Amino acid sequence: MEFKMYILIGKGEGESFELEPGKEYTVGRHSENDIKILDDNISRNHFKIRIKGNKYFITDLGSKNGTFVDGKDLSPGIETEVKEGVPIVIGMTILGLGPICELCLKPFLDSAGFDKVVNIYGEVEKPKRVMAIKKNLEFIYNVNNCLMESKDLKEILKKLVNNVFLFFKRIDRCVVITIDYETGKIKNILYRSKNPIDDPRKIFSRELVEKALIMNKPIMVKDSNNCNEDNKLTESLQIMKIRSAMCVPIASCFNIRGVIYVDSLERPNGFRESDAILLKDVSGRVALAMDNISI
């Protein structure tokens, strides 16, 4: 069995390091380390890694900016198992363990718009985007925890609404709508809003939701005051005084279960393409969980 650590994003992107079972390796920016990472934002001696029983274990060495794994910063001095394919964020560098990280994790990072962080000189051009990855991963881990911790659908969806609402700082409202996939009728509406809501049925754009369900893909309106793609949809948003909105289907291979809807009442360009990709990833996980609960 082959054990490797890969640089997925950062200086030296694509480089890999072979690891031998039973041997301990130190990782950091200083040349004295077994594995040197060219990143000024990591510590001289950042963490150590070793293989035990075909498993990877990492120990943070009291690094200044921390070692982010599996949705949390590792506690210094405590050895923690890290599974293959789980990203490791240190400074402005993202590492992965095992060949699976190149097959599964790297494409996800690329599709989310993080494939052009490093320029031709191996320099990180937009460090903030690496920090955005860290936040995105933390969001996905939080949602995954919700899905694993409960088998009660309403509890899962309520936590989903809260996680989405807290993650997307530019939104005024988040709504999760479930539908009966046989009749297409709305079953449940769960929401969270910055301002009090008199009628939950008027908290979202029905035209936007219907379009996302019919097309079964994310639909985004960046600015309802400057959009000529769909006059009926644009007019409905203007009437409801919604400036920007996004709707992502909750769909698995078997059924369309509902949608995740977010909007901003006054802010134009409240969402990016990467936001839609991230919500699509999360909605797919939620749909699979809903299928399993139904079964």
Side-chain angles (χ1 to χ4, degrees), residues 274-291:
S274 58
D275 294 334
I277 293 171
L278 184 62
L279 269 190
K280 183 179 179 181
D281 178 272
V282 167
S283 68
R285 299 167 191 266
V286 174
L288 289 175
M290 293 175 73
D291 285 343

Side-chain angles (χ1 to χ4, degrees), residues 5 25-28 33 35 37 44-49 90:
M5 183 173 72
Y25 299 83
T26 57
V27 180
N33 288 283
I35 299 175
I37 305 293
R44 291 165 60 88
N45 304 102
H46 202 98
F47 69 80
K48 61 182 180 180
I49 181 171
I90 57 172

Side-chain angles (χ1 to χ4, degrees), residues 98-165:
I100 192 175
C101 70
E102 283 200 316
L103 297 174
C104 302
L105 181 58
K106 190 61 167 67
F108 166 73
L109 297 175
D110 291 348
S111 66
F114 302 109
D115 56 332
K116 297 180 176 62
V117 177
V118 180
N119 63 23
I120 59 174
Y121 303 106
E123 299 169 339
V124 178
E125 292 190 279
K126 298 181 179 179
K128 288 184 178 180
R129 297 182 75 180
V130 178
M131 292 300 98
I133 293 176
K134 181 176 177 179
K135 292 180 180 179
N136 289 357
L137 294 173
E138 186 173 9
F139 171 61
I140 292 174
Y141 291 136
N142 288 339
V143 173
N144 277 344
N145 287 337
C146 294
L147 301 179
M148 292 186 294
E149 289 173 356
S150 176
K151 291 298 181 181
D152 181 82
L153 182 56
K154 285 192 175 181
E155 182 181 351
I156 288 175
L157 296 180
K158 184 177 180 180
K159 289 181 178 180
L160 173 64
V161 169
N162 288 333
N163 274 296
V164 172
F165 187 84

Side-chain angles (χ1 to χ4, degrees), residues 30-226:
H30 197 276
S31 58
E32 68 184 16
N33 288 283
D34 300 301
I35 299 175
K36 181 181 178 181
I37 305 293
L38 299 175
D39 184 341
D40 293 336
N41 294 282
I42 69 174
S43 296
R44 291 165 60 88
N45 304 102
H46 202 98
F47 69 80
K48 61 182 180 180
I49 181 171
R50 63 173 173 165
I51 315 289
K52 294 192 302 182
N54 294 334
K55 296 180 180 179
Y56 296 89
F57 290 85
I58 283 181
T59 304
D60 183 87
L61 298 175
S63 61
K64 181 179 179 181
N65 293 322
T67 303
F68 182 84
V69 177
D70 204 17
K72 60 184 178 181
D73 285 306
L74 299 186
S75 299
I78 298 178
E79 190 173 64
T80 303
E81 180 185 354
V82 180
K83 297 184 182 299
E84 288 191 25
V86 174
I88 304 164
V89 182
I90 57 172
M92 299 300 158
T93 302
I94 297 182
L95 308 170
L97 301 175
I100 192 175
C101 70
E102 283 200 316
L103 297 174
C104 302
L105 181 58
K106 190 61 167 67
F108 166 73
L109 297 175
D110 291 348
S111 66
F114 302 109
D115 56 332
K116 297 180 176 62
V117 177
V118 180
N119 63 23
I120 59 174
Y121 303 106
E123 299 169 339
V124 178
E125 292 190 279
K126 298 181 179 179
K128 288 184 178 180
R129 297 182 75 180
V130 178
M131 292 300 98
I133 293 176
K134 181 176 177 179
K135 292 180 180 179
N136 289 357
L137 294 173
E138 186 173 9
F139 171 61
I140 292 174
Y141 291 136
N142 288 339
V143 173
N144 277 344
N145 287 337
C146 294
L147 301 179
M148 292 186 294
E149 289 173 356
S150 176
K151 291 298 181 181
D152 181 82
L153 182 56
K154 285 192 175 181
E155 182 181 351
I156 288 175
L157 296 180
K158 184 177 180 180
K159 289 181 178 180
L160 173 64
V161 169
N162 288 333
N163 274 296
V164 172
F165 187 84
L166 294 174
F167 178 78
F168 290 96
K169 304 299 184 182
R170 300 180 299 277
I171 67 174
D172 290 306
R173 303 180 297 195
C174 172
V175 187
V176 172
I177 302 166
T178 61
I179 63 170
D180 185 316
Y181 61 88
E182 292 181 350
T183 65
K185 293 183 178 179
I186 293 176
K187 294 174 63 177
N188 296 295
I189 300 174
L190 293 90
Y191 66 90
R192 183 165 174 179
S193 172
K194 288 184 178 179
N195 300 311
I197 299 298
D198 295 327
D199 187 351
R201 294 171 298 179
K202 297 181 180 179
I203 197 176
F204 61 93
S205 165
R206 286 186 175 273
E207 286 77 9
L208 186 63
V209 169
E210 289 174 1
K211 186 172 182 178
L213 289 172
I214 291 172
M215 300 186 70
N216 193 19
K217 70 176 186 179
I219 303 296
M220 182 189 305
V221 176
K222 295 183 178 181
D223 188 352
S224 62
N225 290 350
N226 186 25

